[in-house]
Amino acid sequence: MKEQLGMIERHLIHIGFLALAAWLAPVCWTPTVAQTATPAVRTKSKSPTAKWTPPRTADGHPVFEGVWNSSSLTPLERPVELGSKEFYSEEEVAAYTQKRRKEMSRERRDGGAEADLGRAYNEEWYDRGTEIGRNRRTSRIVDPPNGRFPPMTPEGQKRFDETRAWLDKHSTDAAENQPLYVRCLAASQAGPPMLPGNYNNNYQIVQTPGYFAILSEQPHQTRIVPLTQHSPLPQDVKQWMGDSRGHWEGDTLVVETSNLRFNDQSKFGNQYDGIADDNLRVTERFARTAADLIIYRATIIDPTVYTKPWTIELPLQKVTEPVYEYACHEGNYGLAGILSGARAEEKKAAEQNLGHR
Amino acid sequence: MPPKLTAAVAATLLATIPLYAQAPAGRPPRTADGKPNLNGIWQALNTANWDLQTHGPSGGPPALGAIGATPPGLGVVEGGEIPYLPQAAEKKKQNFASRWTVDPEIKCYLPGVPRATYMPFPFQILQGSDSIMIAYGYADAVRTINMGKPSDAPLDSWMGWSNGHWEGDTLVVDVTGLNDQTWFDRAGDFHSDALHVVERYKLLNKDLLDYEATIEDPMVFSKPWKINMPLYRHAEKNARLMEFKCAEFTEELLYGNLRKKASQ
């Protein structure tokens, strides 16, 4: 397979396998309707900061209930050449949208047959969004002000480099070396921080007087955030989604999370580099700024990896369709395929070596 | 004791009686919109996950000794027997014989309905305004019950498609779109993808839910049958669901044969 696929990024192979798994196992397949649910950008509507009065729950807080989608063409990091430019103008949006659609498309047919094969699937399989975020931001990272990851600490950088080098050699040795989303244990969408991936960027929020529950379609994980008295877990008990607690600051829900079980195979977003360690803490802010819009912010704090905190902002757009079941593990032919493919390659290489002797 | 003092003592006693005993039957606690308040963390306290029918104790995989043994328990099937069609009864026997390798729970697969309810894990009911979410401690299984206009299952899935409505104070959930991959218990009780489940959740008092599920599957059973059990509220102050993303614990079982050998 290596000969055929050449220089393809490994993660795309993984995604391809997952998509293939989904195709092979119709019961696990998220129907197209959910995948294409990204709402259109409404550049002519009121600016997201315009005052809007939210509906309220019986206990007086804004209602966040419903299904929301975080897909957009907005990149995590701002292109360097944009410097400190935070927003596109309405005029710039159209041109930039075209450019991003083209960049992200798997149907460009601009790299020859090998590249086409490597891109593996056409756009049908993806739900990354077809518009830039409604907040018209040039990047999802809003702090540092240049819209890019802050520098890593020397020890963070060293670990990052070593991890990458090790994974380059060993990621297909065993299931536990694979990224968490391939193992169906965690996903960038579920977070925290909740970062969009290539598809299934849908969330269902349910509010009760004491809880704020966020069901992430990928890979069907529900974070139940207590809003009242709450005893934190002991420091040494970690969970993939951590230990969250929430409180209201006016109409904004603030959620603080610690006890995150981050490992070397975790990533911020499926396709983005970035690491963390046990010191990771995340503070999220949910603000409903329009009938069909939540502005979501998350500040990522990990002093042993990053020299300063960094903050992302995402618009979550209301979706009218329900969230379907994404039964990831049950149809995970991809993981078996990745491992058995690697074993087959090793066997072939060993036979060729024998043949050359 | 003077009568007045008796009354005072009685009043004091009443005041210290737990809340659930004070809530008169038929008048459970309510949400702001007047519906019975099912919010909370609940769990079945029975052995239905081992076997829906009355069973004695039995041994499991030898290496696990007493830990792997099946605890005895009274059945939860109304009338005692599951009305299998003859061929299906044969299949159930085969399932039972191979239960220590074939039960989908071994692979951490989603449990389906109604099994999710009586697995030995807590689950949390989150009663929203237009939908009710049930998040289960086992395998991050979750269902969102649509309380609005009923809609059809778009396709089969592990946890099915749930439409709910209130019949008086009883939450009735109609579940369709269930696939044929799940079992009802570790004893190999099974169903086809024609399964239709109607669940009834009735709050008896603050800490006690009556749970009933009617199971209909003409491919497997000669007639509909019911299970019934109480569900108990986790009353401990710090009750919470914790993550049990058990796929991780099945990796060696499922993919261990594909591990790179040390010699390679």
Side-chain angles (χ1 to χ4, degrees):
Chain A
M1 196 166 75
K2 247 177 202 156
E3 291 86 346
Q4 283 178 330
L5 295 186
M7 298 160 66
I8 294 121
E9 297 152 285
R10 184 157 286 149
H11 73 260
L12 282 179
I13 302 179
H14 300 164
I15 290 162
F17 271 109
L18 281 182
L20 179 63
W23 180 68
L24 286 171
V27 290
C28 310
W29 180 44
T30 307
T32 309
V33 276
Q35 296 179 0
T36 53
T38 314
V41 171
R42 288 170 210 173
T43 45
K44 283 185 183 154
S45 66
K46 286 181 198 168
S47 93
T49 50
K51 191 69 189 159
W52 176 76
T53 309
R56 304 221 167 242
T57 61
D59 51 352
H61 299 295
V63 172
F64 287 79
E65 288 192 321
V67 180
W68 307 86
N69 179 288
S70 67
S71 294
S72 83
L73 293 175
T74 310
L76 182 62
E77 287 194 280
R78 186 178 307 151
V80 180
E81 62 271 20
L82 291 180
S84 59
K85 182 184 171 73
E86 280 188 86
F87 299 95
Y88 287 112
S89 68
E90 287 197 23
E91 293 70 39
E92 288 166 326
V93 163
Y96 180 70
T97 301
Q98 289 306 320
K99 179 172 173 280
R100 280 292 280 173
R101 281 183 190 162
K102 199 168 172 218
E103 277 173 5
M104 312 262 304
S105 172
R106 303 260 160 244
E107 298 175 35
R108 308 203 288 276
R109 302 286 192 275
D110 59 0
E114 195 170 287
D116 282 345
L117 261 180
R119 287 167 189 153
Y121 295 95
N122 62 19
E123 289 300 297
E124 171 67 19
W125 298 102
Y126 296 94
D127 179 30
R128 291 167 297 225
T130 56
E131 310 287 347
I132 75 154
R134 187 159 140 195
N135 51 4
R136 295 209 307 264
R137 284 192 173 273
T138 53
S139 59
R140 287 175 180 151
I141 294 181
V142 297
D143 184 59
N146 67 355
R148 302 185 67 83
F149 284 114
M152 285 189 190
T153 60
E155 66 173 304
Q157 188 67 52
K158 182 166 177 281
R159 207 180 123 215
F160 178 79
D161 294 342
E162 286 170 0
T163 301
R164 284 298 119 101
W166 188 84
L167 283 176
D168 269 353
K169 285 190 184 135
H170 298 290
S171 72
T172 57
D173 286 3
E176 67 267 22
N177 295 3
Q178 282 289 304
L180 297 177
Y181 65 89
V182 174
R183 300 165 68 194
C184 300
L185 300 180
S188 67
Q189 289 93 331
M194 307 196 306
L195 274 161
N198 285 307
Y199 43 69
N200 297 346
N201 302 314
N202 296 306
Y203 302 94
Q204 172 129 30
I205 294 177
V206 171
Q207 281 168 279
T208 72
Y211 295 92
F212 190 92
I214 310 159
L215 161 62
S216 172
E217 178 177 358
Q218 184 86 5
H220 80 77
Q221 261 175 317
T222 312
R223 188 151 52 109
I224 301 172
V225 181
L227 304 175
T228 50
Q229 275 191 325
H230 170 64
S231 303
L233 289 176
Q235 261 194 339
D236 62 333
V237 178
K238 307 285 187 190
Q239 306 198 105
W240 296 116
M241 288 192 296
D243 184 16
S244 296
R245 71 180 86 182
H247 68 273
W248 292 98
E249 287 182 8
D251 282 349
T252 300
L253 178 75
V254 181
V255 179
E256 315 251 13
T257 304
S258 59
N259 295 62
L260 282 151
R261 186 179 164 194
F262 229 82
N263 76 3
D264 288 345
Q265 284 79 354
S266 307
K267 288 184 176 187
F268 290 116
N270 289 350
Q271 63 271 68
Y272 308 117
D273 282 339
I275 61 165
D277 60 17
D278 282 355
N279 298 319
L280 176 67
R281 283 178 294 131
V282 180
T283 301
E284 298 161 287
R285 302 177 73 84
F286 295 78
R288 189 165 178 190
T289 56
D292 57 352
L293 187 67
I294 293 172
I295 295 293
Y296 170 79
R297 275 192 173 233
T299 299
I300 293 92
I301 305 156
D302 193 337
T304 44
V305 174
Y306 292 101
T307 49
K308 51 185 159 181
W310 48 283
T311 299
I312 57 157
E313 184 187 292
L314 303 172
L316 305 179
Q317 298 257 22
K318 186 122 194 192
V319 172
T320 52
E321 290 149 297
V323 172
Y324 297 103
E325 177 179 280
Y326 186 77
C328 180
H329 169 62
E330 289 75 0
N332 197 354
Y333 299 97
L335 182 49
I338 288 163
L339 298 177
S340 62
R343 298 298 80 78
E345 281 178 5
E346 285 158 8
K347 195 175 164 214
K348 195 172 151 194
E351 284 164 3
Q352 279 172 352
N353 276 344
L354 280 177
H356 286 306
R357 274 182 197 168
Chain B
M1 195 180 281
K4 266 186 186 173
L5 192 57
T6 315
V9 169
T12 311
L13 279 175
L14 273 174
T16 55
I17 289 172
L19 276 175
Y20 66 82
Q22 291 178 16
R27 295 201 54 204
R30 306 266 163 186
T31 60
D33 60 353
K35 300 290 190 295
N37 188 346
L38 310 185
N39 283 309
I41 298 177
W42 304 89
Q43 191 166 344
L45 287 177
N46 59 36
T47 59
N49 188 52
W50 282 264
D51 192 338
L52 289 172
Q53 293 176 269
T54 301
H55 55 276
S58 59
L64 291 177
I67 288 177
T70 296
L74 296 174
V76 297
V77 178
E78 249 184 49
E81 291 296 316
I82 299 176
Y84 280 105
L85 291 167
Q87 269 195 327
E90 199 49 43
K91 168 99 163 99
K92 143 85 204 241
K93 267 188 206 159
Q94 289 166 16
N95 285 349
F96 184 81
S98 53
R99 65 195 186 282
W100 296 111
T101 51
V102 183
D103 180 357
E105 186 189 348
I106 293 170
K107 296 181 182 172
C108 179
Y109 285 177
L110 288 168
V113 178
R115 189 172 183 179
T117 312
Y118 49 80
M119 290 198 67
F121 292 83
F123 62 88
Q124 185 157 358
I125 299 181
L126 296 137
Q127 207 166 331
S129 57
D130 55 4
S131 57
I132 296 177
M133 188 181 280
I134 308 185
Y136 299 92
Y138 169 75
D140 255 314
V142 62
R143 299 156 70 190
T144 306
I145 300 163
N146 164 35
M147 296 300 289
K149 189 171 165 256
S151 57
D152 289 335
L155 77 177
D156 284 358
S157 64
W158 293 77
M159 297 302 290
W161 193 253
S162 296
N163 287 299
H165 68 275
W166 293 96
E167 283 181 12
D169 281 349
T170 302
L171 172 65
V172 181
V173 186
D174 190 273
V175 193
T176 54
L178 290 152
N179 71 23
D180 61 358
Q181 303 290 303
T182 64
W183 282 9
F184 290 125
D185 56 22
R186 293 181 182 173
D189 285 305
F190 76 107
H191 57 86
S192 78
D193 59 6
L195 177 64
H196 174 212
V197 180
V198 179
E199 301 172 283
R200 299 176 72 87
Y201 298 82
K202 185 166 193 221
L203 205 51
L204 297 179
N205 63 44
K206 184 175 144 289
D207 296 316
L208 194 61
L209 258 177
D210 182 55
Y211 178 77
E212 180 190 282
T214 303
I215 291 154
E216 188 184 12
D217 183 346
M219 306 295 286
V220 177
F221 308 113
S222 60
K223 56 180 181 184
W225 51 284
K226 280 183 187 180
I227 60 169
N228 187 278
M229 66 186 71
L231 300 172
Y232 302 88
R233 179 189 295 277
H234 271 263
E236 55 270 40
K237 210 170 145 196
N238 300 327
R240 60 185 293 163
L241 292 191
M242 285 175 69
E243 247 177 35
F244 184 64
K245 207 72 180 159
C246 49
E248 183 181 9
F249 315 126
T250 69
E251 284 179 341
E252 197 51 36
L253 177 72
L254 299 177
Y255 313 113
N257 62 323
L258 299 172
R259 180 180 289 278
K260 184 174 183 171
K261 303 277 189 304
S263 60
Q264 279 178 311

